[in-house]
Amino acid sequence: MKISSENRSIIAGTLLVVVLVVLLGFVHSRAAMDKDKDGFVLYAPFTKADGLMTGADVRIAGIKVGRVLDQALGEGYQVRVKIGFFEPIKISDDSSAIIETDGLLGAKYLEIIPGGTEDMLSSGDEILYTQDALILSELMDKVNAYMREKKQIKTSDEGDLE
């Protein structure tokens, strides 16, 4: 039995489609398993999360212990940051989370500052004490306003002396 070139092309195409469907199914199932298996997760509310990206590092004492999994707008327009840890970690319930910058203009990351109580957070709990990102342009605006105010006080003091 001889197979024509047209039939060979149809069989090869069908096999290729079957292999691709199996491969996509495998990749999709792995992604679903990874998504369902977040492991140890905490949440932190921030007023502003400027520059903090999904996937950003989470550090304790400068050591990378996890990553930012998600950010969502919560009640009262707060940003609710979902933090995933590589392994379960003991973090006391009075710990704080601060959005820091790596260097002067580097990437933002989340720094966890451990507290001192003996009560530990469980997976799914919220870190209550947070500090928003320091935004360089806002800091410069405050410095400029302070300098203008200082200059006005100085010139008004000089006018009083005359």
Side-chain angles (χ1 to χ4, degrees):
M1 178 170 155
K2 200 171 193 183
I3 300 176
S4 69
S5 69
E6 185 179 307
N7 285 343
R8 257 189 261 153
S9 296
I10 291 172
I11 292 171
T14 304
L15 286 174
L16 181 63
V17 168
V18 168
V19 167
L20 285 175
V21 167
V22 169
L23 184 62
L24 285 174
F26 176 73
V27 169
H28 180 69
S29 68
R30 291 286 297 168
M33 284 188 338
D34 287 345
K35 190 174 184 179
D36 292 339
K37 191 186 97 182
D38 284 336
F40 190 76
V41 173
L42 295 176
Y43 295 90
F46 290 94
T47 306
K48 288 191 265 184
D50 293 22
L52 186 68
M53 306 297 282
T54 300
D57 290 353
V58 175
R59 302 178 188 175
I60 296 178
I63 305 296
K64 185 176 175 181
V65 294
R67 62 186 172 94
V68 173
L69 297 177
D70 191 25
Q71 299 178 56
L73 197 57
E75 293 180 25
Y77 301 108
Q78 281 194 328
V79 179
R80 190 163 193 245
V81 176
K82 184 178 183 180
I83 307 163
F85 294 88
F86 299 135
E87 56 189 50
I89 189 166
K90 291 185 178 184
I91 298 175
S92 62
D93 64 356
D94 65 338
S95 297
S96 59
I98 302 172
I99 299 174
E100 295 280 3
T101 304
D102 207 3
L104 185 61
L105 299 172
K108 302 279 186 180
Y109 66 93
L110 198 62
E111 179 77 26
I112 306 290
I113 309 296
T117 66
E118 293 182 17
D119 297 327
M120 300 297 158
L121 293 170
S122 301
S123 185
D125 286 348
E126 191 170 86
I127 297 174
L128 299 177
Y129 307 106
T130 59
Q131 182 177 331
D132 296 338
L134 178 66
I135 301 168
L136 194 56
S137 61
E138 287 180 6
L139 181 62
M140 294 303 294
D141 289 344
K142 288 179 183 178
V143 169
N144 285 336
Y146 174 77
M147 295 305 285
R148 274 190 241 111
E149 182 180 313
K150 192 102 165 140
K151 186 176 181 179
Q152 286 176 350
I153 291 172
K154 186 177 179 184
T155 56
S156 68
D157 286 346
E158 290 174 359
D160 292 341
L161 292 175
E162 294 177 4

